[in-house]
């Protein structure tokens, strides 16, 4: 028996090795147009970036080793030109000599793979426009980079290879612009999941251009000009085109073998084509999607290897079938890992397949064990049967493990209910007693059973007239942002404040990641309310709407005294050099800890601090602005609010960012005397009317002016209750500092104000707020005096010393009342 194999790498090389293991007598010939029959295609970007330093490690199998171990006739640098199906031979050409030969076969296996898409754009074939498919392409790119003179590179296409190339180029300290026609990177995941990748790319200084088309290229001698659909014209030293691949099915088409709509060769489940003597495997074939059972193209190495083995089995009479493709895949993007299996929500919508979805954001392992990080998981399932349709995950560790488990569950046709019962490894360094996969099962089963309905971002952004939004997060988290129109009642206060919620509305409830929202819904449902929980919480809302803060990195051109451009600075690690636990410290404790620690760090090192002080979010933002340090991220977590700060160099332009002597007005309200508070608000409203930004900072006794006039039920100890009884509650209860006369003087001045048409103090407070005056309550003073956030009027901000000092630096008037 004579078996000819066209193409090596994953499918062809696997078919050749399997055929030899099944028969010592068969004559096996493998033709490869390039120099290498089996190389690690997925490792090419990592050699370019220097992570895989030894080029030889990419060679999985050499022609010499294949000949020696498997007695296979390997012919590299040989192109198959034509298939004669009637005569059962192929026409080949030796690319070194040009010699053409006819090679007969009993069975033919086609594994030519896929070729990079080169759109018909002006200048697409210029020498500075490269693609990446094989070792030769890798060598060409690396030679350009190693040769010097390359600083700015455009990567066109943000799929697997495009993202890996962007990372590799940043590893080489190059300026990278990533251009993608779609409005997200990594098309196999849904947009709200891709948002985490967008943030990571921005953090690593990749200039991400989404929804942007490339119109053409132009050679400008020492540079390449890239014309964009936005009208921009950008200059680069090199462009790498990775906009996708298409099946290299020309041989099959010319031979009359059927191909699908996307150009893939049509095969049955034994990998046989319409010709019983010809098989096809790998990226060149059309496969059946595991979920939709419809034809598709999914070019992945794992399926190609299995298909090569299956083709060889069937040639030798061993019935073996390919059981469709799930599209299980994983990709590293700087510090993040993204993985997926099955179909995404976009594909389900296109095919009108009904689905439900849930999101969770658990820790990668037991949160009390050091090093735990967040994983964001999305699960898609049939709303009636609970069949798993797809899953996506993004995080810094433990991501691929969870997707692998879910991929096996899909293959075994388990439902989301079965995920609850999976017995998975647990030890604090590796997982949790309730693994994220189990957790997905709990959440999805609750939805199926009606224990708690879920709602999604599309609904909370456009609530119906009979719906209301309820935020059950803690006050410190709300400081970081909330969904417009939501009512805020912390979960712990929900039972005592239910009277504030109308029973004729359906309440769409949310917290940070979904757990507290679920607990709130269980409480409300048992008290007769209609409600649903926002799956994935506020974090998913931020991702869906693209609200993540994008670090502003301006890598300015570095020029030495001669005017020559210097080498770019190395990319700093974003792994914190120091972690601080400031939980329990009151203002200004956390800020002082930051200052003390930052002073010990080198420029560009990173500090991570977690604090529970409610004023910390506002304080840390202000502190970074004032000092010129960079706030990389700010996130509310169960343990408190965590800030990640990068220390700037000694020449950080803090003064320029916050010029002193501005037009602002800052007033510290220390007193609770009626006349003094009145004067503060008169000045504030007058200054605001003149166009000045105004901040009133209330501390100690001045906080009483911000108290609600009605009694608010909050948990207090005995001393705090005593303070509350003795202090005035709100502006109506404040008295004059002089001539009060047991309240008679205060009543007289209020009467005179009414006759003179002077706004009352409560009216002045309202006018001030409407005029944009910021009312800031000192959280340290609140804690000392037993005043809770719920007791203060709406619209008050919470902060500390740093927030006040920031505003004072912006002001040309600073008063103490």
């Amino acid at each position: 028996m004579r078996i000819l194999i066209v193409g090596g790498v994953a499918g062809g090389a696997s078919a050749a090795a399997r055929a030899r293991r099944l028969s010592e007598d068969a004559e096996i010939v493998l033709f490869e147009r390039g120099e290498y029959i089996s190389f690690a295609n997925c490792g090419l970007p990592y050699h370019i970036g220097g992570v895989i330093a030894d080029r030889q490690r990419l060679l999985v199998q050499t022609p010499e080793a294949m000949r020696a171990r498997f007695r296979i006739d390997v012919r590299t640098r040989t192109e198959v030109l034509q298939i004669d199906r009637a005569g059962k031979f192929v026409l080949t050409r030796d690319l070194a000599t040009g010699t053409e030969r006819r090679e007969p076969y009993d069975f033919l296996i086609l594994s030519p793979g896929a070729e990079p898409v080169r759109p018909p754009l002006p200048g697409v074939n210029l020498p500075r426009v490269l693609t990446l498919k094989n070792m030769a392409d890798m060598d060409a790119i690396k030679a350009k980079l190693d040769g010097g003179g390359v600083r700015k590179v455009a990567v066109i296409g943000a799929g697997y290879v495009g993202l890996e190339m962007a990372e590799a180029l940043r590893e080489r300290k190059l300026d990278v612009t990533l251009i993608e026609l779609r409005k997200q990177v990594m098309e196999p995941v849904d947009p709200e999941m891709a948002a985490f990748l967008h943030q990571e790319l921005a953090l690593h200084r990749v200039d991400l251009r989404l929804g942007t088309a490339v119109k053409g290229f132009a050679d400008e001698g020492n540079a390449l000009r890239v014309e964009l659909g936005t009208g921009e014209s950008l200059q680069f030293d090199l462009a790498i085109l990775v906009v996708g691949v298409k099946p290299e099915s020309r041989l099959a088409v010319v031979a009359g073998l059927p191909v699908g709509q996307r150009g893939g060769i049509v095969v049955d489940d034994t990998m046989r084509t319409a010709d019983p003597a010809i098989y096809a495997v790998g990226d060149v074939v059309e496969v059946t999607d595991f979920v939709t059972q419809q034809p598709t193209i999914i070019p992945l190495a794992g399926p190609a290897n299995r298909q090569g083995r299956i083709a060889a089995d069937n040639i030798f009479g061993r019935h073996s079938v390919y059981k469709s493709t799930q599209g299980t895949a994983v990709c590293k993007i700087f510090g993040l890992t993204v993985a997926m299996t099955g179909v995404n929500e976009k594909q389900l919508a296109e095919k009108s397949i009904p689905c439900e979805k849930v999101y969770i954001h658990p820790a990668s392992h037991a949160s009390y064990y050091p090093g735990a990080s967040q994983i964001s998981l999305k699960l898609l399932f049939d709303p009636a049967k609970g069949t798993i349709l797809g899953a996506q995950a993004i995080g810094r560790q433990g991501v691929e493990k969870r997707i692998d488990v879910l991929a096996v569950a899909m293959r075994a046709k388990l439902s989301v209910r079965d995920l609850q019962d999976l017995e998975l490894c647990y030890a604090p360094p590796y997982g949790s007693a309730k693994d994220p996969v189990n957790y997905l099962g709990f959440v999805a089963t609750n939805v199926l059973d009606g224990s708690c309905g879920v709602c999604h971002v599309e609904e909370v952004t456009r609530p119906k007239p009979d719906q209301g939004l309820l935020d059950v997060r803690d006050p410190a988290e709300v400081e970081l942002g909330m969904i417009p129109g939501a009512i805020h009642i912390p979960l712990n206060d929900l039972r005592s404040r239910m009277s504030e919620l109308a029973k004729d509305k359906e309440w769409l409830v949310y917290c940070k990641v979904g757990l507290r929202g679920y607990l709130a819904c269980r409480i409300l449902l048992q008290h007769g309310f209609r409600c649903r929980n926002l799956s994935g919480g506020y974090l998913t809302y931020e991702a869906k709407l693209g609200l993540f803060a994008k670090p502003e990195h301006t890598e300015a051109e570095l020029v030495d005294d001669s005017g020559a451009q210097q080498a770019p600075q190395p990319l700093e690690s974003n792994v914190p050099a120091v972690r601080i636990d400031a939980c329990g410290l009151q203002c200004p404790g956390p800020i002082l800890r930051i200052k003390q620690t930052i002073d010990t760090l080198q420029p560009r090192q990173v500090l991570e601090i977690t604090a529970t002080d409610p004023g910390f979010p506002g304080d840390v933002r202000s502190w970074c602005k004032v000092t010129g340090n960079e706030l990389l991220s700010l996130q509310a977590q169960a343990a408190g609010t965590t800030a990640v700060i990068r220390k700037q160099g000694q020449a950080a332009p803090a003064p320029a960012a916050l010029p002193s002597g501005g037009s602002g007005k800052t007033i510290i309200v220390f007193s609770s005397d009626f006349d003094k508070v009145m004067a503060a608000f008169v000045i504030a409203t007058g200054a605001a009317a003149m166009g000045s930004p105004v901040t009133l900072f209330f501390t100690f006794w001045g906080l009483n002016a911000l108290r609600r006039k009605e009694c608010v039920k909050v948990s207090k100890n005995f001393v705090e209750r005593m303070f509350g009884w003795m202090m005035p509650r709100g502006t109506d209860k404040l008295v004059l500092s002089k001539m009060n006369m047991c309240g008679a003087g205060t009543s007289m001045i209020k009467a005179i104000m009414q006759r003179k048409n002077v706004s009352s103090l409560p009216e002045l407070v309202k006018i001030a707020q409407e005029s944009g005056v910021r009312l800031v309550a000192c959280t340290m003073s609140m804690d000392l005096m037993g005043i809770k956030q719920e007791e203060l009027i709406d619209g008050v901000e919470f902060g500390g010393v740093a927030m006040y000092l920031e505003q004072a630096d912006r002001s040309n008037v600073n008063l103490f009342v």
Side-chain angles (χ1 to χ4, degrees):
M1 181 187 295
R2 195 167 200 257
I3 303 171
L4 303 185
I5 301 173
V6 181
V9 196
S14 294
R18 177 65 172 171
R20 176 56 74 218
R21 290 195 297 271
L22 295 177
S23 173
E24 276 291 300
D25 299 325
E27 181 183 357
I28 305 170
V29 184
L30 190 154
F31 301 102
E32 171 57 50
R33 185 168 49 195
E35 295 182 28
Y36 309 98
I37 58 164
S38 185
F39 59 91
N41 198 300
C42 297
L44 302 182
Y46 298 109
H47 179 59
I48 293 171
V51 175
I52 301 174
D54 185 358
R55 182 180 182 277
Q56 292 300 113
R57 295 182 67 85
L58 297 176
L59 301 178
V60 178
Q61 188 66 274
T62 66
E64 295 75 20
M66 199 81 169
R67 293 187 190 104
R69 176 160 297 182
F70 296 102
R71 198 164 51 82
I72 292 171
D73 183 0
V74 179
R75 303 183 192 179
T76 57
R77 299 286 293 150
T78 301
E79 183 176 11
V80 176
L81 303 174
Q82 183 182 339
I83 302 171
D84 189 316
R85 291 170 55 193
K88 295 188 74 170
F89 68 85
V90 298
L91 180 65
T92 68
R93 176 186 293 150
D94 186 318
L95 297 179
T97 65
T99 303
E100 295 187 358
R101 296 176 57 177
R102 289 170 46 147
E103 298 283 351
Y105 64 83
D106 293 306
F107 289 97
L108 176 66
I109 301 177
L110 301 177
S111 180
E115 58 183 332
V117 173
R118 270 189 176 264
L121 298 173
V124 74
N125 294 314
L126 288 170
R128 292 179 184 267
V129 182
L130 305 178
T131 59
L132 180 62
K133 178 198 174 186
N134 51 37
M135 297 284 285
D137 292 340
M138 177 192 75
D139 291 339
I141 293 172
K142 195 167 184 301
K144 289 275 190 183
L145 301 179
D146 293 346
V150 176
R151 175 177 171 80
K152 299 179 68 177
V153 183
V155 177
I156 301 161
Y160 295 96
V161 180
L163 291 167
E164 290 167 352
M165 275 308 309
E167 178 181 359
L169 295 167
R170 287 300 292 143
E171 290 287 344
R172 296 184 65 121
K173 319 300 186 290
L174 301 175
D175 293 340
V176 179
T177 297
L178 183 57
I179 304 169
E180 169 56 51
L181 181 61
R182 298 181 180 90
K183 293 187 177 180
Q184 68 166 86
V185 304
M186 188 59 71
E187 181 66 12
V189 302
D190 288 312
E192 70 275 19
M193 302 299 284
F196 295 96
L197 306 179
H198 300 165
Q199 186 181 43
E200 184 76 359
L201 289 164
L203 184 63
H204 285 82
R205 304 182 183 183
V206 174
D207 181 8
L208 184 57
R209 305 294 185 98
L210 297 174
T212 303
V214 173
K215 294 299 185 181
F217 307 90
D219 189 351
E220 295 194 340
N222 293 327
L224 176 74
R225 184 157 295 282
V226 180
E227 304 292 340
L228 303 182
T230 59
E232 294 176 276
S233 182
L234 305 179
Q235 197 175 62
F236 298 96
D237 301 308
L238 196 67
I240 300 176
L241 195 63
V242 280
V243 295
V245 295
K246 61 182 179 181
E248 198 169 335
S249 54
R250 182 191 59 82
L251 269 177
V253 171
V254 173
L257 295 173
V259 297
Q261 290 185 346
R262 301 188 184 188
I265 301 173
V266 176
V267 294
D268 63 16
D269 60 1
T270 69
M271 307 313 299
R272 186 162 42 201
T273 69
D275 187 322
I278 302 177
Y279 291 76
V281 301
D283 296 353
V284 76
V285 303
E286 190 176 79
V287 296
T288 300
D289 185 276
F290 180 83
V291 174
T292 67
Q293 291 298 299
Q294 296 181 7
T296 187
I297 298 288
I298 303 178
L300 293 171
N305 275 289
R306 294 197 300 278
Q307 291 161 7
R309 179 186 177 92
I310 290 167
D313 279 353
N314 285 289
I315 286 173
F316 287 99
R318 294 193 173 202
H319 182 66
S320 181
V321 297
Y322 184 71
K323 299 177 180 178
S324 68
T325 299
Q326 291 171 258
T328 307
V330 65
C331 184
K332 174 184 177 294
I333 297 129
F334 297 104
L336 285 183
T337 299
V338 55
M340 69 291 298
T341 190
V343 292
N344 58 41
E345 190 177 355
K346 295 171 292 189
Q347 293 168 315
L348 292 169
E350 288 170 3
K351 300 182 186 303
S352 300
I353 298 175
C355 77
E356 183 55 276
K357 58 187 175 182
V358 293
Y359 302 86
I360 62 172
H361 305 280
S364 56
H365 60 247
S367 57
Y368 58 81
Y369 187 88
S373 61
Q374 188 177 70
I375 301 177
S376 292
L377 282 146
K378 178 178 184 178
L379 181 67
L380 296 155
F381 57 96
D382 185 291
K385 301 177 182 178
T387 306
I388 302 170
L389 304 175
Q392 303 160 32
I394 293 176
R396 301 194 177 275
Q397 55 181 327
V399 170
E400 69 288 349
K401 167 184 173 180
R402 274 66 189 212
I403 290 297
D404 281 343
V405 172
L406 291 166
V408 172
M410 282 184 66
R411 180 66 67 175
K413 297 189 177 352
L414 302 183
S415 77
V416 295
R417 297 182 188 277
D418 297 315
L419 298 181
Q420 302 173 101
D421 304 318
L422 296 183
E423 189 172 330
L424 305 173
C425 289
Y426 163 57
Y430 304 105
S432 300
K434 294 179 182 177
D435 189 86
V437 175
N438 300 132
Y439 188 10
L440 277 174
F442 299 145
V443 175
T445 300
N446 281 338
V447 174
L448 291 178
D449 291 345
S451 298
C452 181
V454 292
C455 61
H456 300 293
V457 174
E458 299 84 354
E459 296 173 87
V460 299
T461 53
R462 295 186 297 273
K464 297 176 181 177
D466 64 339
Q467 291 176 329
L469 304 181
L470 175 61
D471 186 331
V472 297
R473 295 174 298 160
D474 293 337
E477 297 173 273
V478 173
E479 283 295 298
L480 301 177
M482 63 189 301
I483 301 175
I487 293 174
H488 176 225
I489 302 178
L491 176 61
N492 292 349
D493 299 339
L494 184 58
R495 290 181 179 88
S496 63
R497 295 177 59 185
M498 279 189 205
S499 59
E500 299 177 28
L501 303 177
K503 278 202 169 184
D504 60 347
K505 284 190 173 186
E506 179 188 38
W507 290 96
L508 307 181
V509 185
Y510 71 93
C511 63
K512 181 67 177 180
V513 296
L515 177 57
R516 285 170 293 170
Y518 166 69
L519 298 176
C521 277
R522 291 304 305 157
I523 293 170
L524 292 173
L525 287 168
Q526 294 177 73
H527 284 82
F529 287 88
R530 291 183 299 129
C531 62
R532 285 183 288 148
N533 182 30
L534 175 60
S535 186
Y538 190 74
L539 183 57
T540 299
Y541 168 83
E542 287 183 300
K544 184 78 172 180
L545 272 61
L547 300 179
F548 289 143
K550 294 181 174 59
E552 295 181 3
H553 294 296
T554 55
E555 230 174 341
E557 298 291 329
L558 302 175
V559 180
D560 63 21
D561 292 340
S562 66
Q565 185 172 298
Q566 300 177 15
Q569 293 182 348
L571 179 65
E572 309 82 18
S573 170
N574 290 307
V575 177
V578 177
R579 288 184 171 89
I580 298 175
D581 183 356
C583 296
L585 292 181
Q586 297 295 324
C587 175
I591 296 300
L592 291 175
R593 291 291 304 278
I594 292 175
K595 174 65 170 64
Q596 292 164 357
T597 307
I598 282 285
D599 287 345
T600 68
L601 300 183
Q602 296 297 315
R604 315 305 291 170
Q605 282 190 304
V606 174
L607 161 70
E608 180 183 287
I609 179 170
T610 302
T612 52
D613 173 30
F616 178 68
D619 275 359
V620 71
R621 286 194 188 99
S622 299
W623 186 87
C624 287
K625 289 178 182 178
V626 169
T627 61
N629 292 290
E630 185 177 10
L631 182 61
L632 294 178
S633 67
L634 187 64
Q635 186 176 24
Q637 299 173 333
T641 301
T642 298
V644 180
I645 304 164
R646 178 156 44 211
K647 181 176 181 176
Q648 294 298 318
Q650 297 304 314
L658 289 171
S660 60
S663 62
K665 309 292 183 287
T666 308
I667 304 174
I668 299 176
V669 184
F670 177 84
S671 172
S672 62
D673 293 334
F674 173 87
D675 43 338
K676 294 177 182 178
V677 174
M678 184 80 183
F681 273 98
V682 168
I683 296 170
T685 53
M690 296 175 65
S692 295
V694 183
T695 300
L696 293 181
F697 189 82
F698 293 81
T699 184
F700 283 95
W701 312 113
L703 290 167
N704 292 301
L706 300 180
R707 296 179 73 192
R708 296 177 184 271
K709 62 181 180 180
E710 66 275 7
C711 181
V712 178
K713 292 183 179 180
V714 291
S715 176
K716 291 188 176 187
N717 59 37
F718 176 75
V719 174
E720 289 174 336
R721 287 198 299 272
M722 288 291 293
F723 265 89
W725 292 332
M726 292 187 292
M727 294 187 299
R729 186 182 293 125
T731 52
D732 284 337
K733 299 296 183 181
L734 302 186
V735 299
L736 288 172
S737 61
K738 304 287 184 182
M739 297 170 54
N740 181 47
M741 298 179 293
C742 296
T746 305
S747 297
M748 289 172 59
I749 195 68
K750 288 182 179 180
I752 294 171
M753 289 170 58
Q754 188 173 12
R755 288 198 300 272
K756 300 285 187 179
N757 292 321
V758 176
S759 298
S760 67
L761 186 49
E763 290 172 339
L764 276 177
V765 173
K766 184 178 180 181
I767 293 169
Q769 288 183 300
E770 292 174 348
S771 302
V773 174
R774 296 179 66 187
L775 308 183
V776 180
C778 174
T779 54
M780 181 272 292
S781 300
M782 289 173 61
D783 186 63
L784 292 178
M785 304 180 70
I787 296 176
K788 307 298 183 183
Q789 292 189 14
E790 294 84 352
E791 295 181 89
L792 302 188
I793 62 176
D794 293 334
V796 174
E797 300 178 53
F798 301 93
V801 174
M803 182 180 282
Y804 159 69
L805 292 175
E806 178 199 0
Q807 298 306 314
D809 272 355
R810 295 178 182 273
S811 303
N812 57 12
V813 172
N814 188 31
L815 301 177
F816 188 95
V817 177

